[in-house]
Amino acid sequence: MNDWGLILAAAGSGSRFRSETPKQFVKIEGRPLYVYSLRSFIAKVREMVVVVSGDRVKEVESQIKILLPHIEEDCHCEVVSGGNTRQKSVALGLERLTAGRVLVHDAARPYVSPDLISRVMAGVEKQGACVPALTVTDTVKQVDSGFVVQTLERTELVLAQTPQGFETDLLREAHRAADKIRLEGTDEASLVEKLGFAIMVVEGDPSNIKVTWPADLKRATEGSNSAMS
Ligand code: C5P
């Protein structure tokens, strides 16, 4: 039986995006960006928790009913109110989740492919925790106050993407442990790492960009047809 759930993190304010509307709600071809992200998971999971800011819960519930009318045939979808950090938003999503395995995805990554999702799911089934990542091609430097401190060994570095997948109980435990030491991570894996748990890395996808800056939205608009096909 499919025992997979999704938490879609969509409660950010998108301060780097310099727009009144957070990036995940900007419309492409009439549909908010998060709808493209959500759609990719419909055939993969039995449960979805979409985490948005409190003032958007009702709006998103009705948008999903209109734009993805058949979603409930494949999975149960719930919209909940998030927190003021990404980590808190995911923790609130976790409270609602019943599935034994969970994928956590940034709503601002509309180009996630079915293959990438399957790779991560296979990694979790094998190892209990899995993240997709890209190798680093640029030279990476650590800097301080505008001066180079050192050059990092790029063969040891990767760029982590989402969806990141975990046994749900493991991610819950990682959140509890992080709260205790007041650790604030920018992804789920960083919390699970602190438990000392081995996290499998699978190949990411360069197309799976996170819309962060206004220029990214232009690229997203150009790719919208393929994302919704
Ligand atoms: O800020 P960042 O780009 O890392 O956000 C990644 C994802 O986390 C976005 O989809 C954003 O909406 C979500 N987020 C959230 N709750 C927050 C902050 C960010 O769900 N408080």
Side-chain angles (χ1 to χ4, degrees), residues 204-224:
D205 180 350
S207 314
N208 181 29
I209 60 162
K210 178 165 71 170
V211 174
T212 302
W213 308 102
D216 299 330
L217 188 65
K218 193 167 171 289
R219 287 166 68 193
T221 312
E222 285 159 7
S224 67

Side-chain angles (χ1 to χ4, degrees), residues 59-211:
E59 173 195 346
V60 169
E61 276 172 354
S62 52
Q63 269 173 350
I64 291 175
K65 275 200 189 106
I66 294 165
L67 296 172
L68 300 170
H70 303 299
I71 198 167
E72 290 285 339
E73 290 168 16
D74 292 295
C75 55
H76 175 69
C77 182
E78 189 177 354
V79 183
V80 302
S81 183
N84 52 9
T85 63
R86 185 185 185 286
Q87 187 169 318
K88 184 68 187 159
S89 295
V90 173
L92 289 164
L94 267 176
E95 282 180 15
R96 305 297 308 170
L97 207 82
T98 64
R101 289 175 174 145
V102 59
L103 295 166
V104 181
H105 188 60
D106 293 332
R109 291 186 191 265
Y111 299 115
V112 55
S113 69
D115 281 355
L116 178 62
I117 299 170
S118 296
R119 275 203 293 283
V120 174
M121 290 169 91
V124 176
E125 275 153 19
K126 204 168 163 193
Q127 191 62 41
C130 181
V131 298
L134 296 176
T135 54
V136 176
T137 50
D138 291 331
T139 300
V140 185
K141 299 199 186 288
Q142 185 185 350
V143 296
D144 184 21
S145 310
F147 288 89
V148 173
V149 176
Q150 63 169 328
T151 300
L152 303 177
E153 179 50 57
R154 72 179 174 194
T155 55
E156 291 175 4
L157 300 173
V158 292
L159 302 172
Q161 298 187 323
T162 72
Q164 300 190 350
F166 308 90
E167 298 284 350
T168 309
D169 285 344
L170 174 67
L171 188 57
R172 286 203 175 102
E173 190 189 338
H175 270 267
R176 277 194 297 271
D179 284 350
K180 261 192 199 149
I181 58 167
R182 295 175 189 250
L183 167 69
E184 190 69 48
T186 50
D187 73 350
E188 286 57 58
S190 57
L191 312 185
V192 175
E193 284 156 40
K194 281 280 170 194
L195 294 179
F197 196 90
I199 301 167
M200 188 172 174
V201 179
V202 293
E203 198 184 342
D205 180 350
S207 314
N208 181 29
I209 60 162
K210 178 165 71 170
V211 174

